[in-house]
Amino acid sequence: MKIFLDTAEVEDIRYFASIGIIDGVTTNPTLIHKAARPFTDILKEICQLVNGSISAEVSATTKEGMLEEAYYLADISPQITIKLPTTMDGLATCKELSNKGIDVNMTLIFNATQALLAAKAGARYVSPFIGRIDDMGACGMDLIASIISIYDNYEYDTQVLVASVRTVNHVAEAAELGADVATIPPAIMHAMIQHPLTDLGIERFAIDWKKTGQNIIPK
């Protein structure tokens, strides 16, 4: 499973990119607002840090407006994936962009039929928001399983990008189901590597090693 970082904070992206564990980045208007910097500047910096898909979301709600913004964003870098809302105008925009070889990420997916239509429109990615579905009392992972099953039935190339990830378990469950991508906030990325037994083991080994009186590299 590919791991994308869900943020517009360049320093977080720089850190995880330096470790070599992220394959792309997703942004959205809320994340751009939190970053409090010009959108284009942020995208250009991210493209220099990460060799992979960078999702940039349009703000327009009509096909004409979406296309105008999409072409502007796509000109920034071949890495840019255009993020579109899952509406009829979004689907029409997706079809036109995908026909021209521009990758599209259809966002705000909340049911399997939306994902089906997005695939038929040529989307490169669909982004089901599992955390928000969980918030409504349903199970977001059930939707992931359903979309994967549908895509497998008809051999769609569209990739399932698990979004609105709230917990480490969300990441593990997405991987178990065979999702193509999970986009993960920095805080969850840090939590994924942490375990109290790992910390305890390191502490105990350090104590025992000190008792040997040795140095790994002889002095």
Side-chain angles (χ1 to χ4, degrees):
M1 183 176 74
K2 292 180 182 178
I3 291 179
F4 288 2
L5 197 63
D6 192 31
T7 186
E9 297 293 342
V10 171
E11 288 311 308
D12 284 328
I13 296 166
R14 189 188 312 278
Y15 172 74
F16 287 108
S18 71
I19 301 173
I21 57 175
I22 59 173
D23 304 290
V25 173
T26 55
T27 67
N28 62 43
T30 300
L31 296 174
I32 296 298
H33 174 66
K34 289 179 180 178
R37 293 181 53 210
F39 189 22
T40 302
D41 290 351
I42 292 172
L43 292 176
K44 288 179 179 178
E45 277 196 64
I46 295 174
C47 289
Q48 292 176 346
L49 294 170
V50 179
N51 184 23
S53 169
I54 313 299
S55 282
E57 190 162 345
V58 301
S59 64
T61 57
T62 65
K63 178 184 176 183
E64 293 74 16
M66 289 183 203
L67 284 172
E68 183 179 9
E69 292 178 356
Y71 290 132
Y72 172 80
L73 293 170
D75 280 343
I76 293 172
S77 168
Q79 293 173 248
I80 297 294
T81 295
I82 304 301
K83 208 170 182 185
L84 300 173
T86 305
T87 62
M88 283 300 178
D89 280 281
L91 290 175
T93 305
C94 176
K95 188 65 175 178
E96 183 162 330
L97 294 175
S98 62
N99 284 345
K100 294 185 177 181
I102 298 173
D103 286 346
V104 173
N105 177 358
M106 295 300 292
T107 192
L108 296 170
I109 298 277
F110 292 99
N111 65 43
T113 55
Q114 289 177 314
L116 174 61
L117 293 177
K120 292 183 71 65
R124 175 69 169 168
Y125 304 99
V126 291
S127 289
F129 276 43
I130 59 170
R132 295 193 192 182
I133 292 173
D134 287 353
D135 291 344
M136 298 296 291
C139 179
M141 282 302 164
D142 287 347
L143 175 58
I144 301 302
S146 179
I147 296 171
I148 291 173
S149 178
I150 290 169
Y151 285 3
D152 287 346
N153 284 345
Y154 301 103
E155 299 182 348
Y156 286 120
D157 292 330
T158 302
Q159 296 187 28
V160 180
L161 192 162
V162 179
S164 187
V165 168
R166 304 276 179 80
T167 69
V168 170
N169 284 342
H170 275 163
V171 180
E173 290 170 14
E176 288 175 0
L177 287 171
D180 300 287
V181 188
T183 187
I184 306 170
I188 302 300
M189 288 285 289
H190 284 292
M192 286 169 62
I193 199 65
Q194 296 172 351
H195 196 284
L197 292 180
T198 302
D199 296 338
L200 181 60
I202 292 171
E203 182 180 347
R204 287 180 176 174
F205 286 157
I207 291 171
D208 289 340
W209 179 253
K210 187 175 182 180
K211 291 176 182 177
T212 71
Q214 300 180 55
N215 295 302
I216 299 282
I217 302 174
K219 295 184 178 179

